[in-house]
Each structure stands twice: as structure tokens, then as C-alpha cells.
Amino acid sequence: MNIAKLQESMYKLVVETSTKLPKDVRRAVKRAKEIENAGTSAAMSLATITNNIKMADDQVSPICQDTGLPTFKIKTPVGVNQLEIKEAIRNAIVLATKEGKLRPNSVDSLTGDNSGDNLGAGVPVIKFDQWEKDYIDVRLILKGGGCENKNIQYSLPCELDGLGRAGRDLDGIRKCIMHSVYQAQGQGCSAGFIGVGIGGDRSSGYDLAKEQLFRSVDDVNPNEDLRKLEEYVMENANKLGIGTMGFGGEATLLGCKVGVMNRIPASFYVSVAYNCWAFRRLGVSVNAETGEINEWMYQDGEFIDFSEGEAAMQETAATSEGVITLQAPISEEQIRSLKVGDVVQINGMMYTGRDAIHKYLSDHEAPVDLNGQVIYHCGPVMLKDEAGTWHVKAAGPTTSIREEPYQGDIMKKFGIRAVIGKGGMGPKTLAALKEHGGVYLNAIGGAAQYYADCIKSVEGVDLMQFGIPEAMWHLSVEGFTAVVTMDSHGNSLHADVDKSSLEKLATFKEPVFK
Ligand code: SF4
């Protein structure tokens, strides 16, 4: 085996997966755009998403800043040295991280230390199988934390919100899948894709669910029962009205793939792997002797280049008469004038903060004056040039709900007026927004290139000891667009969409599959 060539092939696979959505996923995103109602926040989100896909294509930059836990599934001919393949992958990962194609995402689970190169115990995930063919099949998925955290496993029989009893049969499985879409709301950056594994044990069930994400969006399940189930879910999950980013709307689910395996009599698991719209999975077949790529997978059919993305964004901006410009620092009076549904554009400074920063700020002073300022839940991809200047390579929002235990207290302690993230926050934060005069702004999850473009300069950084994604970056922005989804009057779009989608979920209570 030519190891240098294999390493080059693996590097190409990693870069292509991080920066370019496969053709089948692009077509699914296009279908979502077609069914969404013009002029809504969901339509604006989809315009931002497609614009972002195009920007990532053009700049060969990560589609989303969360490049996830790289997971490789590999099939090798008998006799091929799997250790060499592992080494080639690890080297390719290190290089892709160094070049800003992957965010350093491997963190020691006990100390929180970031390895900086995406290596570490269990990272990347590499799983091998052998087969009788004479070439190597390598598939890669980059699945970020926002959607990974919305995976769910059901142990049947169980009671489900809105749907009642889910028994140990096809109809019980149907209920679990419908529930899995409901419980994800917009937090996994909907509209999303789900892989479902029926059977197995807790770990093999999840493996089977993830395995389904390696199927093409357009394939047809050869198992007749599962084909009907997939079609049912696709037809009905979009009636829940969760919509893109959970803003409400027509496009909630873009793909559903179901697989089945045996189980032991005492256990009956339904495992669901949720993937965001930024469904980054690709594959290559590799010549087992030369290490060269023979063929790319998931690349059949029409290629949607989304070149209309920018025009659609401009059109959206032009029709958004009500877009409100905010200049940071922002006064309490301005914040209290905002209400759920308003679209805002922010100019001025914002400061990133995610898990480590929120924990730190809860028992330390802030390194900068945050009075009237904006906190951005974001772990960007950053690169330093030879002159020592930092550049933002990708900077979309991260899931906000993780900061729920801290957020309200920190806003009040430091006088922060706005928090930007994705997926919304809970009752504690909502109460603090009302009491203190604050607002939660939902940015478009995964739109890492679009938001990186809004960042005009990096003015500084604090708390680098937490690693690049977790540090507090001082960003100067222009025209940073987001939607008010929680206001200072006690309103939460997230709570409203949750309530209405639960009501709709309950309409699917009656058995469908006998
Ligand atoms: S699009 Fe959203 S859920 Fe997906 S990786 Fe990016 S931030 Fe995470």
C-alpha cells in the first residue's frame, strides 16, 4: 500500500466532507426551500442556510463550525493492513485541523483540556469490517454536538408525551419515531435527518441508527414494512409544524431511514440518531494497492449549487422592512422594545461564551466590561496567520440550552443585554430576561460561513486556557442577523412551538400499523 497516497486520499475525504454537502443532501435542502412559506422566519433561515452552503463551497471552508466527532466506517479486503489505514487517517485529521478545515474538537472528558489536533482517546472513531471485494470502502460522517445531543433511545413498552403507550410492535416504533422528531424541536438545527435502529442492545441499537445515516437520502428500503414506515414518517413529521430552526414552518424532517436487527426477548430498543441539515457524510472507494481514490459516493444525480442563495438573501433582506438595527452596547430601553418575531441586525462588539466561559463567569469577574453587551454562544474555528493575527474561519451559533443553569444569573451579574445562540433557552432564562431587561436571539444554526463573513475583525481573546472553541473571543461585527425568539415580556417562540407541536403530535395517537 502507498501510505503517502492513502493519507492524501483521506485528507481529501475529510476536507470535502467538512466543506461540501453531498448531492443527495443538497436536493433535500432544496425540497425544504420549495415547501416553506415565503416571508417567514423559517424561509429566511433556509435562505441563509443555502447561502452558507454556497459560501462554504466557494471558500473551501467548514459548512458548520462544529465539525463534530469524525466517525469513519471502513471495509477492507482480507489482508489489508488496517493499522496503516488508521495512521493515515490520524495524520490526515491532524493536517485538516491545522489548516482550519476541522475545529479542534477533542477534549479530555475529565480535565476539559483540548488536544488541539482532534486526536485523543477514542477520537477519531474508526470502525473496520472486512469484505470480499478488492478495494477499500471508506465512509465518513462529521456529526456535530447540537444534533448528537438530540439522539434518543426508547425502551419499549413506554409512555410518550402526546402519544400515550408505545408497545412492542410496528405501531409502537412509529410512535417513537414521531416522538423523536417532536423532542428534537429546532435544537438539532432542523430541518434534519433521522436514522433509526430497531432492536439490538443499547450500544448496537445506536450503532444501527447511525449506520442508517450512511444510506442515500433517495434510496428505498428493501424491507416492505420499513419502507412504509419511512414513507409514513416523511409524510407526517412535517405536519408537526416545528420548521427550520424550530421557528415553526413546513419543513421539519428531510429524511428518515430505518434499519432492524435482532434483539434478546427481554429488550426492545428503538434508537434514533438525529442529524442536522448540515448532514456532512461522504465516502470514497480506494484502490487497495495505490491508495488512490477510485470513486466518490453519494454524488449521483443533480448537483444543486445554490448560486441563487445570495440573491435570495438580498431579496429576504429587502422584503424584511421590519429589520431592526442594534448597535452594541445596547440600552435596556431598546431591548425592552423588542418582541418575539422581530428580526435584528447587530453592529458593534460581541463576545463569545459557551460552556467553560459560563461556568467561569458564574464564580469569577469578567475579563471585559460586559455591561450592555452581547454574548454569542459560539465556538468558532480560528486560524492565526504568521503575523499573529487571528482570522475567523467558521462561526455559527452553538446550542444554548446547555447554559440554562448559568445564563440568567450571568446576565444580571454583568448587565448583559442580549444572548445569541440557537435552539432557545428555558424558563429560568426567560424569567431573567423579563426581570433584568434582556433578549434571546436565535441565529441560524450551522450558518458558520455566513456569520464568519459578518465578523469584520477579532479585537482580542481572553481565557484561552479553555482552548480555541471555548475561549472568549472579542468580535467586531456588522449586519449580524438573528431572530428574537425570547423577549423581555415573558414570551418564548420555543415554548409556543413546543406546545403547538405537542398538540399536533397527539393527533397521531391512533394506531396506523396493526
Ligand atoms: S448545523 Fe447545528 S447541529 Fe449541525 S453541527 Fe452545526 S451547530 Fe451542530
Side-chain angles (χ1 to χ4, degrees):
M1 167 100 65
N2 182 334
I3 298 303
K5 204 29 117 182
L6 179 67
Q7 190 174 309
E8 192 185 313
S9 297
M10 294 301 96
Y11 176 77
K12 279 185 192 160
L13 174 62
V14 171
V15 173
E16 195 78 1
T17 309
S18 177
T19 61
K20 218 170 191 131
L21 281 186
K23 283 185 180 177
D24 59 336
V25 175
R26 287 168 182 264
R27 290 192 293 267
V29 173
K30 183 177 178 225
R31 286 195 289 274
K33 267 191 99 174
E34 284 164 359
I35 61 170
E36 203 47 85
N37 298 316
T40 58
S41 297
M44 188 270 282
S45 305
L46 280 164
T48 308
I49 283 169
T50 51
N51 188 31
N52 184 77
I53 294 170
K54 176 80 174 115
M55 290 170 88
D57 286 344
D58 293 347
Q59 292 155 25
V60 197
S61 286
I63 297 162
C64 176
Q65 77 290 339
D66 186 352
T67 53
L69 176 66
T71 302
F72 292 83
K73 295 235 175 191
I74 305 171
K75 293 188 180 117
T76 58
V78 177
V80 164
N81 186 337
Q82 297 183 347
L83 296 176
E84 286 181 348
I85 298 177
K86 246 185 187 176
E87 198 49 31
I89 287 176
R90 289 166 63 84
N91 291 341
I93 288 276
V94 170
L95 184 58
T97 309
K98 200 166 152 215
E99 298 197 345
K101 310 297 182 188
L102 294 176
R103 185 175 72 181
N105 249 4
S106 175
V107 172
D108 183 302
S109 291
L110 297 181
T111 64
D113 291 345
N114 192 316
S115 70
D117 59 7
N118 268 312
L119 300 185
V123 182
V125 176
I126 306 175
K127 294 187 175 171
F128 286 102
D129 265 326
Q130 282 191 330
W131 67 355
E132 297 290 350
K133 297 185 179 161
D134 65 355
Y135 62 89
I136 305 169
D137 180 297
V138 187
R139 306 204 182 202
L140 167 63
I141 188 164
L142 300 173
K143 186 172 184 296
C147 57
E148 181 67 13
N149 293 346
K150 296 319 292 183
N151 292 357
I152 187 165
Q153 191 168 59
Y154 302 89
S155 175
L156 296 180
C158 62
E159 290 291 326
L160 299 172
D161 295 341
L163 293 167
R165 170 91 29 92
R168 290 182 156 196
D169 53 21
L170 199 56
D171 207 65
I173 295 164
R174 171 192 71 88
K175 286 186 176 179
C176 292
I177 300 174
M178 291 297 288
H179 183 270
S180 73
V181 178
Y182 155 73
Q183 62 86 39
Q185 292 290 303
Q187 290 170 11
C189 290
S190 57
F193 300 79
I194 51 173
V196 181
I198 303 167
D201 62 10
R202 288 216 182 260
S203 60
S204 64
Y206 263 134
D207 262 357
L208 181 64
K210 280 204 175 168
E211 189 73 40
Q212 303 311 304
L213 296 175
F214 285 100
R215 286 172 50 195
S216 166
V217 176
D218 307 314
D219 76 359
V220 176
N221 201 315
N223 177 312
E224 192 55 13
D225 284 338
L226 299 186
R227 178 188 66 75
K228 284 187 193 150
L229 183 60
E230 289 176 359
E231 285 175 8
Y232 171 89
V233 173
M234 285 310 295
E235 191 185 328
N236 292 294
N238 286 321
K239 295 179 186 163
L240 295 176
I242 295 164
T244 303
M245 293 301 128
F247 290 162
E250 309 299 320
T252 298
L253 193 66
L254 303 179
C256 170
K257 302 291 165 190
V258 186
V260 64
M261 60 168 37
N262 282 11
R263 59 184 172 85
I264 57 171
S267 304
F268 196 133
Y269 296 112
V270 176
S271 311
V272 182
Y274 188 95
N275 207 104
C276 52
W277 67 262
F279 187 10
R280 292 153 292 172
R281 62 102 174 81
L282 274 176
V284 286
S285 68
V286 174
N287 185 304
E289 275 162 23
T290 65
E292 284 176 347
I293 294 174
N294 289 333
E295 203 184 340
W296 287 85
M297 316 211 173
Y298 311 106
Q299 299 294 33
D300 296 335
E302 191 191 358
F303 175 76
I304 313 290
D305 80 347
F306 292 118
S307 52
E308 87 290 3
E310 205 174 328
M313 283 286 295
Q314 279 162 3
E315 194 185 309
T316 309
T319 54
S320 305
E321 291 159 7
V323 173
I324 297 162
T325 302
L326 297 174
Q327 178 72 42
I330 311 169
S331 69
E332 180 179 350
E333 190 189 359
Q334 261 185 308
I335 288 293
R336 288 207 183 267
S337 72
L338 297 172
K339 56 187 187 319
V340 162
D342 287 343
V343 178
V344 300
Q345 281 198 338
I346 299 169
N347 300 327
M349 292 301 295
M350 61 177 64
Y351 300 87
T352 65
R354 36 184 278 162
D355 309 67
I357 296 290
H358 281 76
K359 184 168 184 300
Y360 178 90
L361 291 180
S362 66
D363 42 34
H364 293 82
E365 285 309 307
V368 287
D369 181 5
L370 292 172
N371 196 24
Q373 298 293 357
V374 179
I375 286 282
Y376 183 23
H377 295 162
C378 171
V381 178
M382 307 291 293
L383 271 191
K384 201 187 228 179
D385 66 21
E386 281 168 7
T389 306
W390 284 103
H391 299 277
V392 183
K393 303 306 287 181
T398 192
T399 308
S400 299
I401 196 70
R402 298 196 306 272
E403 318 315 337
E404 178 68 4
Y406 307 108
Q407 195 65 77
D409 297 337
I410 287 173
M411 287 186 89
K412 288 189 268 182
K413 179 175 172 186
F414 296 106
I416 295 161
R417 290 286 166 211
V419 173
I420 307 174
K422 73 172 175 79
M425 303 196 72
K428 191 176 170 205
T429 302
L430 190 61
L433 298 179
K434 192 171 179 183
E435 180 193 335
H436 161 70
V439 73
Y440 176 83
L441 304 170
N442 205 122
I444 313 307
Q449 291 309 312
Y450 167 72
Y451 287 118
D453 199 51
C454 296
I455 297 167
K456 299 307 167 192
S457 61
V458 180
E459 300 290 318
V461 59
D462 283 302
L463 305 171
M464 264 298 257
Q465 67 266 34
F466 297 135
I468 287 176
E470 295 280 348
M472 178 183 269
W473 295 94
H474 310 186
L475 308 174
S476 172
V477 305
E478 258 176 54
F480 188 109
T481 304
V483 180
V484 178
T485 53
M486 295 167 69
D487 63 23
S488 61
H489 313 290
N491 303 310
S492 165
L493 178 67
H494 308 283
D496 292 349
V497 171
D498 192 312
K499 187 164 173 276
S500 65
S501 57
L502 182 59
E503 284 164 10
K504 286 174 187 148
L505 185 69
T507 65
F508 299 104
K509 193 172 181 176
E510 292 308 313
V512 173
F513 300 109
K514 310 277 189 237

